[in-house]
Amino acid sequence: MGIIDLLVLTIYIVAGGALIMVFTLLNTAYLTYYERKVMAHMQQRLGPMHTGYHGLLQPLADGLKLFFKEDIIPSQADKAVFILAPLMGLIPAFISFAVVPFGPKFTVMGHEVPLYLADLNISLLYVLALSSMGAYGIIMAGWSSNSKYALMGGLRSSSQVISYEIAMGLSLISVLMMSGSLSLVEITKAQAGAGLLGILPNWNVFCQPVAFIIYLIASIAETNRAPFDLPEAENELVAGFHVEYSGMRFAYFFMAEYANMLMVSCLAVVLFLGGWNPIIPRSVFEMVPGLGGYIGFIGDPAVWWFIIKLYAYFFLFLWFRATLPRLRYDQLMKLGWKIMLPVALANILVTGIVMTFLN
Amino acid sequence: MLLQTGFIYFATVIVVCALMVITRKNPVHSVLFMLPLFFHVAGIFIMLNAEFVAAVQVLVYAGAIMVLFLFVVMLLNIQKERVRPRVGLKWTFTAPLGLTLFGFLVAILVRSQYNGTQGSFTIEAVKQIGNSQAIGQVLYTDFLFPFEVASVILLVAMVGAIVLAKKRLD
């Protein structure tokens, strides 16, 4: 490898990393807006309206407010752990985006540029490993705050994350059995083309509906969202693990939560909803005259398909939050261990049997 | 050169973190110092082209086992542990013993030869079939029996834990 190649590679990694950071940060900000608007309209309200056109600048205003707020560290807190905790939540959530395949490779000036930062042999394990790190931020915050509400919230959250990680991992195994790879790019490619009956696309959600439902429930529980938001159940715990945090440190937890939600949505899109594969096949668009055979981002609209699917999946999070009441703690544990775990195991068994007979 | 620098970095951080784990007064801090330790062990695995092991190292040790450790330590009453002096009378016995054992270890390490024979899974071979695929193939063919024995042992441990934790049904 020459020095020029090394330089190009470095620039590519730095620029790609920066782009992904911008994408994630913008999303964490504007997903709050998305959430508030969707929830508001579901509850016959308008949501934020005053800051900018239809409240479009609201996330920026919120960010500025949190940025300028006083940073309070409780006098009895374990200072080092208290300061580290929000970062432990935020950093793993952000760096896991490195392996998300937003789109396929495209050619610029004779160079092949992929729309993902890394295609690891173990992408999926990388994401799972980092997502399991998220529990640390919560436990550390809960413990170091030296407050019983925070501690209870932290304990609840970590036990919840550990329990649902198992069901989530098992639901992914049946998908892995079908695609035969841990690389997210390979999994996406395995879902290209037409599938069942020649009408539906070859996405895993149609072949593995049980796994998809388990993943959906587990992903909501993993990110501590309603109806599984027991770690921050307001009526029991004030605000849960981040009750003692203020200002920017509080914002870090908030950003980590939304980045995690974005990540599990990305994973769902890649694993179950066909990744960058089009919802409407290219051939359909080419039949319509005047569309110019599909104008899109950098010549290929694959990225837009990915993003449409991403926000559609994310919509489910908001829908559930607006619709369902919170579970009790024992119900949560019962659902995780006694229903989802056996169902996920049975699903693997059935997948194995079907695959053996079909091959 | 790059590899060597990387190894020196990872090894130094591992040793420093390990020392921090055993010298912290607060057990929670001890547990938290194991976190960078595990990450750097994973880093060494990556340098050895064992990405699968690296990911599993983080996923299992840092992601699951350490969380449980942290749980237990947080819920224990750590105030008692804190006031006990770290260096005491028993050190007059334990320190020479530990140093002697360490001396033996160094003596053996210095005399050893590290030129093992090359197996069939060279770096090129692993790159060609894929890291996780290579492990899967070996695990489910050559090492199937030990693998199953390991799972039975884990199952026994799980059953044991459940029996201990379960309330008596009288």
Side-chain angles (χ1 to χ4, degrees):
Chain A
M1 197 190 277
I3 194 87
I4 299 290
D5 284 339
L6 205 67
L7 204 68
V8 169
L9 190 71
T10 316
I11 290 170
Y12 170 67
I13 291 173
V14 171
L19 261 177
I20 289 178
M21 274 299 280
V22 169
F23 172 80
T24 318
L25 281 169
L26 269 179
N27 264 300
T28 47
Y30 272 89
L31 285 178
T32 61
Y33 177 76
Y34 183 31
E35 173 168 21
R36 288 170 77 172
K37 275 290 183 193
V38 170
M39 292 252 305
H41 284 280
M42 280 181 179
Q43 295 161 353
Q44 313 250 316
R45 296 183 285 118
L46 286 173
M49 286 299 279
H50 291 286
T51 332
Y53 177 72
H54 275 256
L56 263 175
L57 294 175
Q58 188 65 42
L60 297 180
D62 284 342
L64 272 178
K65 184 198 81 173
L66 286 167
F67 198 75
F68 286 114
K69 268 198 151 183
E70 190 190 349
D71 174 37
I72 301 165
I73 298 177
S75 57
Q76 293 296 306
D78 190 317
K79 231 179 204 162
V81 182
F82 189 84
I83 291 168
L84 264 174
L87 300 176
M88 275 303 295
L90 194 64
I91 293 170
F94 273 20
I95 57 179
S96 54
F97 282 93
V99 294
V100 174
F102 294 100
K105 283 183 180 166
F106 65 95
T107 321
V108 177
M109 294 182 288
H111 286 281
E112 275 208 323
V113 183
L115 272 170
Y116 41 85
L117 201 55
D119 175 21
L120 304 179
N121 192 282
I122 45 143
S123 299
L124 189 62
L125 281 177
Y126 172 83
V127 173
L128 288 180
L130 286 173
S131 83
S132 65
M133 286 299 102
Y136 278 100
I138 295 167
I139 306 181
M140 283 162 75
W143 177 79
S144 67
S145 301
N146 207 356
S147 142
K148 39 182 141 166
Y149 295 121
L151 185 65
M152 283 305 296
L155 284 178
R156 275 189 183 187
S157 169
S158 43
S159 53
Q160 180 175 330
V161 169
I162 293 168
S163 315
Y164 279 83
E165 215 165 52
I166 295 167
M168 192 176 184
L170 287 176
S171 77
L172 298 183
I173 284 178
S174 47
V175 174
L176 293 183
M177 285 164 78
M178 302 204 46
S179 53
S181 175
L182 279 168
S183 151
L184 295 181
V185 176
E186 293 302 317
I187 292 172
T188 311
K189 282 179 184 164
Q191 296 177 66
L196 288 172
L197 310 168
I199 311 161
L200 292 172
N202 190 22
W203 301 347
N204 284 330
V205 63
F206 299 116
C207 320
Q208 291 284 350
V210 179
F212 178 70
I213 291 166
I214 293 169
Y215 180 84
L216 176 61
I217 298 172
S219 65
I220 296 170
E222 273 268 303
T223 47
N224 295 329
R225 291 284 298 183
F228 302 103
D229 59 343
L230 284 123
E232 41 195 292
E234 293 89 350
N235 43 5
E236 300 160 27
L237 293 174
V238 192
F241 61 90
H242 55 55
V243 66
E244 302 290 345
Y245 281 84
S246 67
M248 216 44 209
R249 291 188 212 289
F250 170 75
Y252 284 164
F253 279 119
F254 217 68
M255 281 152 74
E257 190 183 326
Y258 279 85
N260 275 326
M261 271 193 278
L262 195 66
M263 190 61 223
V264 292
S265 307
C266 281
L267 212 54
V269 170
V270 172
L271 293 169
F272 292 101
L273 302 176
W276 67 61
N277 292 308
I279 302 169
I280 304 161
R282 210 186 184 105
S283 52
V284 176
F285 273 88
E286 277 160 0
M287 281 191 289
V288 184
L291 260 177
Y294 222 63
I295 304 145
F297 181 54
I298 352 181
D300 201 338
V303 182
W304 295 119
W305 288 129
F306 188 94
I307 288 184
I308 289 169
K309 289 174 191 175
L310 182 63
Y311 293 138
Y313 186 85
F314 194 85
F315 184 79
L316 294 176
F317 278 70
L318 313 180
W319 196 359
F320 287 141
R321 184 175 171 198
T323 319
L324 298 170
R326 186 180 296 131
L327 268 74
R328 235 175 29 230
Y329 191 70
D330 59 316
Q331 292 169 330
L332 175 96
M333 284 294 150
K334 212 176 194 171
L335 178 70
W337 289 101
K338 291 188 178 170
I339 301 173
M340 300 212 343
L341 185 63
V343 170
L345 280 171
N347 191 41
I348 292 173
L349 187 70
V350 172
T351 311
I353 292 171
V354 171
M355 279 179 71
T356 322
F357 277 106
L358 283 184
N359 290 351
Chain B
M1 185 56 210
L2 196 68
L3 217 58
Q4 216 149 34
T5 324
F7 177 76
I8 290 167
Y9 163 71
F10 284 124
T12 316
V13 176
I14 288 171
V15 172
V16 169
C17 284
L19 283 174
M20 294 302 258
V21 170
I22 54 171
T23 51
R24 292 306 88 196
K25 272 193 184 143
N26 192 333
V28 173
H29 291 172
S30 293
V31 175
L32 288 177
F33 267 109
M34 286 186 77
L35 201 56
L37 191 150
F38 282 138
F39 267 95
H40 285 79
V41 172
I44 284 189
F45 278 130
I46 286 177
M47 291 204 333
L48 295 169
N49 289 299
E51 293 126 30
F52 182 84
V53 185
V56 170
Q57 161 85 20
V58 173
L59 187 64
V60 174
Y61 282 92
I65 294 177
M66 289 309 294
V67 174
L68 293 179
F69 270 29
L70 205 53
F71 244 117
V72 173
V73 171
M74 264 165 48
L75 293 176
L76 288 177
N77 190 4
I78 55 169
Q79 296 303 328
K80 258 183 218 158
E81 201 64 35
R82 254 190 213 167
V83 292
R84 231 170 59 192
R86 286 261 141 182
V87 183
L89 195 66
K90 66 178 178 194
W91 269 59
T92 45
F93 306 106
T94 52
L97 192 68
L99 279 177
T100 319
L101 286 173
F102 185 70
F104 281 135
L105 195 66
V106 170
I108 290 168
L109 283 176
V110 167
R111 286 180 199 175
S112 311
Q113 300 255 323
Y114 296 104
N115 315 321
T117 49
Q118 197 171 38
S120 58
F121 285 95
T122 54
I123 294 172
E124 292 77 33
V126 168
K127 268 193 183 140
Q128 212 191 345
I129 43 177
N131 208 296
S132 31
Q133 284 89 337
I135 286 182
Q137 274 169 21
V138 177
L139 204 60
Y140 286 100
T141 51
D142 298 354
F143 294 98
L144 182 63
F145 185 67
F147 179 69
E148 291 298 331
V149 170
S151 18
V152 170
I153 292 172
L154 284 175
L155 182 70
V156 169
M158 259 159 68
V159 172
I162 291 169
V163 167
L164 284 176
K166 203 178 157 191
K167 283 178 197 145
R168 295 251 180 280
L169 295 171
D170 289 323

